[in-house]
Amino acid sequence: MNVAHRIKTNHKYTPELRQVSKETILLRSLLQKSREFFNSGKTRDIEFRLAQLKKLREAVSANKGQILKALGDDLKKPGFEAYTSEIGMLFQEIDYASAHLKQWTRHRTVGTPTALAPAKSRIVPEPYGMVLIIGPWNYPFQLTMAPLVGAIGAGNTAVVKPSELAPATSEVLAGIIGAAFDARYITVVQGGVDITHELLVEKFDYIFFTGGTEIGKIILQAASNHLTPVTLELGGKSPVIVDKDASLDMAAKKIVWGKFINAGQTCLAPDYLLVHHEVKSELLERIKRYIHEFYGDNPKQSKSYGRIVNERHFHRITRLLRSGAKIIGGRADLSQLYIEPTVIDEVTLNQPLMKEEIFGPILPVMTYRNLNDALSIVKSLPKPLALYIFSNNKKTVEQVTSGTSSGGVCVNDLVVQIGNYYLPYGGVGASGMGAYHGKASFDTFSHYKSIMIRSRFIDIPRRYPPYEKRNKGFLRRISG
Ligand code: NAD
């Protein structure tokens, strides 16, 4: 059995330490092997790639129980949520990529301008080489493995760095990959910020990062040292707008589900609610009813409600409870890392709740009278990962979708758009750059190389010097 490479370091990163540390030497040798494996050309073979995707699926399938247990240990994820959002989604990505890979890898023949004819021109997707995938802790399995599907499909070798804040999942993920793959081909490096810095000093051919906006800046800066292209899947404040003609019951039900799944620690969760003043009280009444229906009298006892990942995030989120007027929930218990599903009214843009991504089970509410006022609020904040609008009026939906910028939009639902592999998934501006899922994952990890093959038989002499001799008439014409 191949055991994935595993480097856990305690030392603080400094350039001097890097030069002498054993971890650095181990890391470099690992990367050297990964590069050699890529250079052997093995990963360019389509049958090889398909076989690896199959292996990945089988390995995940064989370890479903372990994965669910680890997600329970790290985040108290309810089994149903964990299976559908972490394992089921991954299977979907693997199956879709496997079914379409041959089509995606085909060379595309394109035209050639007359001035360059005769020639044959084509566009060929080729793997970047050795890629680095850095994962977050909130959906720690799926958000680390789904990019890997793209990396494999496109023919790269990969180094995978799962989040240290979901240690049980990181361990299981390393075990699965270590057992399934040659460590020169795909390897897992476990560790914290220091090891991520160690990795970022090295040269990769592509970096795929999922995490917070501030860390995204560090990644982009580090990547610039090697001119390494990146995808940054970041977060932000995704608004949900509920207009006066929306189906209120459906909106309330879906908002409660999308906000409180994984205890609000979902990058695509609605961060704050903008509701038309005429329907506010009815919507909030229904939200209250659905929180009760989903999680019972005491959500702490509910098997369908998760926990906050660690004490640092618990304190960060509970500090936010101090703003506005709590109208639903608000209780918290540090010993269980539990924060109740909470709705806060009378929120203003200058309160802490609206100054940062909440990433926890608190829904701030703001009211608007005119849709343009709601859109002004959305536009005054950095571009979000998602924007949600509940409305039965096509004009309203059009006004919102065309009048704002966000990674994506979902109308009359939330979060579920991530499951549509026909739609590229990614942010814009502060919520990220680049996208993946389905074909977009293959594209992300591929360089589209342009190839032109010219005829050997025709070579027009006019392009060669001395120009005065070969282009007399032309030069006379352009000089007037
Ligand atoms: P994070 O940015 O803290 O951590 C992500 C990864 O970066 C981890 O592997 C971590 O080890 C590494 N890291 C942390 N600090 C670092 C540093 N100083 N230098 C280098 N590497 C560092 O993110 P998180 O807390 O795991 O996830 C929460 C954030 O991620 C939220 O903002 C959320 O919206 C966003 N997110 C986005 C998506 C998406 O698909 N767009 C998905 C999940 C989470």
Side-chain angles (χ1 to χ4, degrees):
M1 184 176 93
N2 259 319
V3 178
H5 287 263
R6 186 165 162 235
I7 303 170
K8 284 183 170 165
T9 59
N10 301 321
H11 67 76
K12 258 200 144 30
Y13 166 71
T14 65
E16 303 76 58
L17 263 178
R18 278 196 73 255
Q19 283 165 20
V20 294
S21 78
K22 273 193 218 144
E23 288 84 7
T24 303
I25 294 165
L26 180 57
L27 194 62
R28 286 201 169 155
S29 128
L30 187 157
L31 299 185
Q32 176 67 23
K33 284 180 189 146
S34 174
R35 201 166 279 293
E36 280 167 13
F37 193 82
F38 177 76
N39 288 339
S40 74
K42 217 170 164 179
T43 63
R44 289 182 182 259
D45 178 29
I46 311 301
E47 293 304 329
F48 173 84
R49 300 185 205 178
L50 286 169
Q52 306 310 308
L53 287 174
K54 188 162 175 265
K55 248 190 214 177
L56 180 63
R57 199 189 200 289
E58 285 167 358
V60 172
S61 187
N63 290 284
K64 286 192 291 263
Q66 268 198 63
I67 300 165
L68 295 179
K69 179 174 179 318
L71 291 165
D73 291 348
D74 286 331
L75 288 144
K76 296 267 177 305
K77 266 196 198 211
F80 178 78
E81 261 180 35
Y83 186 84
T84 50
S85 63
E86 304 253 18
I87 299 176
M89 262 197 68
L90 181 68
F91 283 162
Q92 195 176 279
E93 283 291 322
I94 296 175
D95 295 346
Y96 187 71
S98 303
H100 293 85
L101 199 63
K102 287 196 170 149
Q103 180 194 332
W104 295 342
T105 49
R106 259 182 228 143
H107 300 181
R108 188 157 60 90
T109 303
V110 294
T112 302
T114 319
L116 295 170
K120 286 182 189 151
S121 302
R122 60 176 179 257
I123 302 169
V124 179
E126 65 170 19
Y128 275 107
M130 180 176 72
V131 306
L132 172 64
I133 296 169
I134 303 175
W137 53 262
N138 61 333
Y139 290 81
F141 191 74
Q142 188 260 116
L143 290 174
T144 312
M145 290 297 225
L148 183 63
V149 175
I152 293 175
N156 300 276
T157 61
V159 174
V160 178
K161 214 298 282 171
S163 174
E164 70 283 12
L165 298 188
T169 310
S170 173
E171 197 70 36
V172 169
L173 195 148
I176 291 175
I177 288 183
F181 298 111
D182 184 327
R184 295 169 303 164
Y185 171 47
I186 300 171
T187 192
V188 175
V189 173
Q190 293 193 81
V193 174
D194 53 354
I195 197 66
T196 314
H197 283 185
E198 294 269 350
L199 283 165
L200 288 172
V201 172
E202 305 302 330
K203 178 173 166 39
F204 287 90
D205 299 302
Y206 201 93
I207 298 177
F208 190 104
F209 170 80
T210 305
T213 301
E214 287 312 309
I215 312 300
K217 291 178 192 170
I218 296 175
I219 305 292
L220 189 55
Q221 231 166 18
S224 74
N225 289 330
H226 297 292
L227 290 178
T228 302
V230 296
T231 292
L232 300 177
E233 292 282 340
L234 311 177
K237 292 185 83 63
S238 299
V240 52
I241 301 173
V242 178
D243 206 32
K244 60 177 180 226
D245 57 13
S247 306
L248 291 184
D249 195 66
M250 184 188 74
K253 190 189 215 174
K254 290 180 174 175
I255 289 170
V256 171
W257 174 79
K259 179 71 200 186
F260 300 115
I261 186 173
N262 202 26
Q265 301 161 115
T266 302
C267 50
L268 276 173
D271 186 273
Y272 63 100
L273 168 65
L274 283 162
V275 57
H276 192 278
H277 74 110
E278 284 174 22
V279 294
K280 178 182 173 183
S281 58
E282 191 180 340
L283 182 76
L284 292 181
E285 197 43 53
R286 286 169 195 252
I287 284 180
K288 190 173 186 175
R289 213 184 307 149
Y290 277 111
I291 290 177
H292 189 263
E293 183 179 322
F294 292 173
Y295 306 113
D297 289 339
N298 182 4
K300 205 191 220 177
Q301 316 271 311
S302 167
K303 289 202 171 91
S304 300
Y305 191 64
R307 291 295 182 268
I308 304 305
V309 66
N310 59 22
E311 289 195 6
R312 181 168 68 81
H313 281 278
F314 177 90
H315 292 305
R316 180 185 64 76
I317 299 165
T318 46
R319 260 197 301 277
L320 297 174
L321 287 171
R322 291 179 204 147
S323 331
K326 269 176 243 110
I327 52 169
I328 303 170
R331 283 174 297 186
D333 177 353
L334 176 62
S335 70
Q336 288 197 27
L337 294 174
Y338 165 77
I339 301 178
E340 197 173 13
T342 299
V343 180
I344 298 189
D345 197 4
E346 294 170 30
V347 173
T348 58
L349 279 178
N350 44 29
Q351 283 169 344
L353 263 177
M354 289 306 294
K355 292 277 183 213
E356 60 180 90
E357 181 185 9
I358 295 169
F359 218 56
I362 306 176
L363 182 68
V365 182
M366 284 185 287
T367 314
Y368 68 87
R369 286 177 176 272
N370 179 315
L371 188 61
N372 281 328
D373 298 340
L375 298 191
S376 299
I377 291 178
V378 172
K379 285 190 276 192
S380 72
L381 296 169
K383 293 178 182 176
L385 184 58
L387 185 148
Y388 303 113
I389 163 79
F390 283 86
S391 171
N392 295 328
N393 183 326
K394 277 191 184 158
K395 276 195 184 144
T396 304
V397 170
E398 177 53 29
Q399 192 182 343
V400 173
T401 48
S402 62
T404 54
S405 177
S406 57
V409 172
C410 187
V411 180
N412 292 330
D413 211 333
L414 332 91
V415 182
V416 293
Q417 73 272 22
I418 194 175
N420 183 349
Y421 44 69
Y422 294 106
L423 290 173
Y425 168 64
V428 59
S431 56
M433 55 182 75
Y436 72 128
H437 285 175
K439 167 86 161 37
S441 294
F442 177 83
D443 291 342
T444 284
F445 286 101
S446 298
H447 162 61
Y448 278 86
K449 185 158 78 180
S450 298
I451 300 179
M452 184 164 81
I453 302 165
R454 293 212 69 202
S455 160
R456 282 174 290 128
F457 302 111
I458 297 179
D459 189 15
I460 298 167
R462 288 176 61 167
R463 78 180 199 206
Y464 301 107
Y467 304 120
E468 299 78 3
K469 186 173 151 202
R470 302 188 204 270
N471 296 282
K472 260 186 210 141
F474 178 73
L475 284 172
R476 219 178 299 125
R477 276 200 307 281
I478 61 168
S479 58

